[in-house]
Structures are given as structure tokens and as C-alpha cells.
Amino acid sequence: MTDVNIAEITAGLFEKNAAEADAAVILGSGLGDFADSLTDRIDIPYSDIKGMPEVTVVGHSGTIHYGKSGGKRVLAFGGRFHSYEGHGMDVSLCLVRIVHELGIKKLIISNAAGGVSTRLETGDLMLISDFMSPGYAYSYRGVPKSNVRYDIKSLRPKILQLAAENGIPLQHGTYFYVKGPTYETKAEVRAYRAMGADVVGMSTAPEMLEATRLGISCIGISLVTNMATGVNTGKLDHSEVKETAESRKEDFARFVNKLIQSDI
Ligand code: HPA
């Protein structure tokens, strides 16, 4: 039994003429201004869609933005539902399930993340080439499957080339999922780095797993909004995350628009 009625939500989106799209985007903390780059846009508060859960995190507007990027129709979600807010997986994964129910084939998942690798800097955009989610209990039950795996090896060169052609610096690396909401300890960050993590964050990996299971092609992008605990000195809090997102939002929007308009 699911807590979220996906069919009810998608019916609400059809009613608002905001359902048919070529691509969907989940906007991470502080990245909601991407919506301003869409043309012919309508904004729909989540609370206007029957059945949609409520957003509680600062930096997430809780708004659906439906508009155009070039000739492509885009459905963008300004706000997601994290496990650390106490949501069960049915709520946390509902945006991906809405995208699937609507038959949208392309999904771009973005997030704010902490830099773990010393080759990264605050403000870097990073393509998620792979991820680890050891602490995540996946809600889907079934026979273990190797195809329920995010694998963008074949897309990676094309995505990096697209960024380079447009003069957008883009790193690539491995995302490490933690449930949060506490930031990591120094020891944890050291351990994650030794395990091969480049960034750490509190979302995205479950969404990517679910998108992959449902056959949606998804691309993950992290914005390094801060260096993770102990990587450099300084206090870590959510306001730093928002400030960095603010300073990089234009490149982020430009890149996501390029991805939407490309045939990647
Ligand atoms: N750790 C975990 N999640 C995050 C961080 C971090 O340092 N920054 C933004 N999201």
C-alpha cells in the first residue's frame, strides 16, 4: 500500500495542463531559480495539486514549474521530499514515480552536495558518474537485478563534451548518499573519501535507483555548495549551501537547458 496516490497527482497535473513533457527536472537546494530560464511558464504550488506531499526544507519552494526550454516542454519540481524529513520511501520517491506515470523519458536530478574529494572546490558542478548508497534500505522488493543500476558510462563523454562546447566547467565523480540531516563527522568524510566518494549528499541516489528501475534515463548533477566536514576549516550550515547555489545558478540553468535541448 502506498501513502502517495500517484494517479491522483498526475490527474491534477493534466487538469492544469502541466503534464505532457519531454523532460523533467528535480531541482536541488537553492537551485529553484532554474525555473526563470523557462519560457511560457506556469507555476503551480504543490499545495494546489491534490495528493502532493508538503515541502518543509528551506531553499525548496514547493512549486511545480511547467514551461519550455527551446522547443522542449519541461516539468520542473522545485522541492523534493528527503528521508531526513521523516518521509517514507513512497513519499521520497514520488517525484520519480510521477515522471514515470506521465511517460516522461528524460529526467535530470540535481542536488546540493558537500565536496569530499580534494580535487573539487566549492562552486563546482559535477556530473554524477556513479553513486554509493550503503545506508539506504530500498523499498522495492524483488529478485536482485543487475539492471537496476545507474550506468551512464556511454553518455558521460557526450555530456562532458556538451559542457565543454558551451564553456561550462563540469567535473565528474561519485556521489555518496547519506540519510542526514546531520552533516558528516570528519572521520566519516575520511572514510567516504577512502571508499572512493567525491561528494556527499542527502538525496538523489534513491531517486536514481528508482528512475533506473522504472526505465527512465536519468542524469544526476551535483553542485558542490560546500566542502564536507574537515576537508577545510569553517563552520558548515545550510546558509552556505544556499549562498553557493545562488552564485552558480546561472551556469547550472544554462547547462540543464543544454542537456534538455540535446538528444543525449
Ligand atoms: N553533506 C551532506 N549533504 C550536503 C552537504 C554536505 O556537506 N552539503 C550539501 N548537502
Side-chain angles (χ1 to χ4, degrees):
M1 205 35 206
T2 151
D3 296 323
V4 183
N5 185 338
I6 302 293
E8 182 179 47
I9 296 171
T10 55
L13 291 171
F14 273 106
E15 226 167 75
K16 306 260 186 211
N17 290 319
E20 289 169 274
D22 303 294
V25 186
I26 299 175
L27 297 166
S29 280
L31 295 170
D33 283 5
F34 162 79
D36 294 339
S37 67
L38 298 175
T39 55
D40 303 322
R41 187 181 100 222
I42 53 173
D43 294 331
I44 308 164
Y46 284 6
S47 54
D48 282 5
I49 302 288
K50 194 152 182 271
M52 196 76 175
E54 257 175 58
V55 159
T56 65
V57 184
V58 180
H60 288 261
S61 70
T63 308
I64 287 170
H65 310 284
Y66 181 78
K68 282 197 163 171
S69 169
K72 307 280 188 189
R73 297 159 306 172
V74 182
L75 177 65
F77 296 97
R80 55 154 63 89
F81 310 102
H82 307 80
S83 293
Y84 66 71
E85 295 169 74
H87 297 304
M89 275 303 150
D90 282 326
V91 176
S92 297
L93 299 176
C94 79
L95 300 181
V96 176
R97 291 177 180 167
I98 293 166
V99 169
H100 176 250
E101 180 81 7
L102 293 173
I104 302 169
K105 294 281 175 261
K106 188 178 203 173
L107 173 63
I108 296 164
I109 304 181
S110 65
N111 60 65
V116 170
S117 164
T118 51
R119 73 181 169 82
L120 293 174
E121 284 176 15
T122 299
D124 278 350
L125 286 171
M126 190 196 89
L127 172 67
I128 301 178
S129 317
D130 207 344
F131 64 79
M132 291 183 245
S133 50
Y136 171 55
Y138 195 36
S139 61
Y140 176 72
R141 302 199 196 292
V143 177
K145 286 191 180 85
S146 64
N147 62 346
V148 181
R149 200 182 59 189
Y150 171 72
D151 184 358
I152 59 155
K153 241 183 253 123
S154 59
L155 295 183
R156 189 170 71 185
K158 292 183 197 161
I159 297 170
L160 294 173
Q161 191 186 342
L162 182 74
E165 280 167 7
N166 288 285
I168 300 164
L170 181 66
Q171 307 282 350
H172 59 96
T174 298
Y175 179 94
F176 192 100
Y177 170 75
V178 292
K179 189 160 172 263
T182 46
Y183 289 110
E184 303 65 44
T185 64
K186 281 189 201 174
E188 284 166 340
V189 172
R190 274 200 308 274
Y192 300 161
R193 189 184 305 117
M195 287 164 83
D198 294 299
V199 297
V200 61
M202 302 174 195
S203 65
T204 302
E207 295 162 346
M208 287 180 134
L209 268 170
E210 184 66 354
T212 307
R213 182 179 79 80
L214 295 171
I216 303 167
S217 161
C218 74
I219 296 170
I221 304 166
S222 290
L223 171 64
V224 180
T225 49
N226 56 277
M227 295 313 285
T229 314
V231 178
N232 54 20
T233 51
K235 196 169 134 277
L236 190 54
D237 65 30
H238 198 63
S239 62
E240 183 183 358
V241 171
K242 282 193 294 159
E243 271 162 39
T244 308
E246 183 67 24
S247 71
R248 297 291 291 149
K249 64 186 186 188
E250 274 162 33
D251 259 1
F252 170 79
R254 208 153 61 80
F255 182 51
V256 172
N257 277 296
K258 293 289 173 198
L259 277 175
I260 291 168
Q261 291 164 25
S262 77
D263 53 15
I264 291 173

